[in-house]
Amino acid sequence: DTEVTQTPKHLVMGMTNKKSLKCEQHMGHRAMYWYKQKAKKPPELMFVYSYEKLSINESVPSRFSPECPNSSLLNLHLHALQPEDSALYLCASSPPRAGGREQFFGPGTRLTVL
Amino acid sequence: GQQLNQSPQSMFIQEGEDVSMNCTSSSIFNTWLWYKQDPGEGPVLLIALYKAGELTSNGRLTAQFGITRKDSFLNISASIPSDVGIYFCAGRGGSQGNLIFGKGTKLSVKP
């Protein structure tokens, strides 16, 4: 298995809903990342997990809550989001040998907040 | 903070033409990565560069890590319609630094 998978592919939610995004990789990567990408913009880093511990939180609002249950899984829990949070949410992972220098992205979850 | 200038912002070319795009930084990087992103999909890693002066090819793609460690370029030879997409450069400085992304080059290819 040589890829990062993300579910769901698309998600539409209301501002009062609670939902979760899921990311999975079985490549033995020990660093995993959440990015947010708006249309025609580069990805913006949100969170970094290294060896299942949160190492970087780029001042993300608390309505986004990451979780790393094990070395293969990364979740992003969403609650009370705003319409401006609508974006493509990307998960990425890095192999240990590259020291986090190479990042491999999943296909993303297209989130729409109504 | 660190910033990357990626140019050109967009390109419209004829099928079969060669393409060149580049990224420059105000600070030194120890890694340069080039990604391609199709609409609605995640970025796909094309080429990774780790040493100043390094020249690496991946099929019709060639990328170089600049000698000054502040720039990188990506060339695509003999473009084809499936080369259409947005190309991002990304750099990393230091052992713990995050990836810094350029703003992307949108490539359009006319058959």
Side-chain angles (χ1 to χ4, degrees), chain A residues 37 43 88 90 103-106, chain B residues 35-38 41-45 88 101:
Chain A
Q37 187 178 28
L88 182 68
L90 295 164
Q103 290 186 19
F104 297 90
F105 285 84
Chain B
Y35 290 90
K36 177 180 184 252
Q37 187 172 25
D38 292 329
E41 298 294 330
V44 173
L45 182 63
F88 289 102
F101 282 84

Side-chain angles (χ1 to χ4, degrees), chain B residues 55-89:
Chain B
L55 185 70
T56 298
S57 293
N58 178 5
R60 294 178 296 105
L61 278 60
T62 301
Q64 185 159 30
F65 193 138
I67 290 290
T68 65
R69 296 172 64 192
K70 292 185 178 181
D71 63 322
S72 177
F73 71 74
L74 174 71
N75 287 344
I76 305 173
S77 63
S79 58
I80 58 178
S82 62
D83 291 333
V84 164
I86 300 179
Y87 292 78
F88 289 102
C89 64

Side-chain angles (χ1 to χ4, degrees), chain A residues 9 35 37 40-43 45 48 56 58 88 90 98-108 110, chain B residues 30-31 33 35 37 40-45 48 50 86 88 92 95-96 98-99 101-104 106:
Chain A
K9 180 75 172 171
Y35 286 85
Q37 187 178 28
K40 301 182 181 180
K41 299 287 187 183
L45 183 65
V48 180
I56 293 176
E58 291 286 351
L88 182 68
L90 295 164
R101 292 189 290 178
E102 296 171 348
Q103 290 186 19
F104 297 90
F105 285 84
R110 171 69 60 190
Chain B
N30 61 18
T31 301
L33 306 175
Y35 290 90
Q37 187 172 25
E41 298 294 330
V44 173
L45 182 63
Y50 301 114
I86 300 179
F88 289 102
R92 185 170 183 262
S95 60
Q96 302 297 327
N98 298 326
L99 281 185
F101 282 84
K103 293 187 176 181
K106 183 177 180 180

Side-chain angles (χ1 to χ4, degrees), chain A residues 14-39:
Chain A
M15 290 189 285
T16 59
N17 292 157
K18 284 186 181 179
K19 297 287 184 183
S20 296
L21 310 183
K22 181 180 174 182
C23 173
E24 197 164 358
Q25 57 86 16
H26 296 285
M27 298 179 280
H29 293 181
R30 302 311 299 269
M32 297 184 75
Y33 312 78
W34 280 114
Y35 286 85
K36 173 183 177 181
Q37 187 178 28
K38 298 286 255 183

Side-chain angles (χ1 to χ4, degrees), chain A:
Chain A
D1 192 347
T2 58
E3 63 177 3
V4 177
T5 60
Q6 289 187 245
T7 55
K9 180 75 172 171
H10 300 277
L11 178 62
V12 179
M13 60 186 291
M15 290 189 285
T16 59
N17 292 157
K18 284 186 181 179
K19 297 287 184 183
S20 296
L21 310 183
K22 181 180 174 182
C23 173
E24 197 164 358
Q25 57 86 16
H26 296 285
M27 298 179 280
H29 293 181
R30 302 311 299 269
M32 297 184 75
Y33 312 78
W34 280 114
Y35 286 85
K36 173 183 177 181
Q37 187 178 28
K38 298 286 255 183
K40 301 182 181 180
K41 299 287 187 183
E44 297 175 32
L45 183 65
M46 300 175 71
F47 301 104
V48 180
Y49 272 84
S50 180
Y51 292 85
E52 295 105 72
K53 293 193 187 305
L54 182 65
S55 61
I56 293 176
N57 175 342
E58 291 286 351
S59 303
V60 179
S62 60
R63 57 185 184 268
F64 295 91
S65 175
E67 178 197 20
C68 190
N70 59 57
S71 61
S72 300
L73 281 176
L74 187 65
N75 298 321
L76 186 62
H77 302 298
L78 314 172
H79 174 54
L81 294 194
Q82 303 297 310
E84 59 265 29
D85 295 322
S86 298
L88 182 68
Y89 286 84
L90 295 164
C91 173
S93 67
S94 291
R97 70 175 187 281
R101 292 189 290 178
E102 296 171 348
Q103 290 186 19
F104 297 90
F105 285 84
T109 293
R110 171 69 60 190
L111 174 67
T112 302
V113 181
L114 301 176

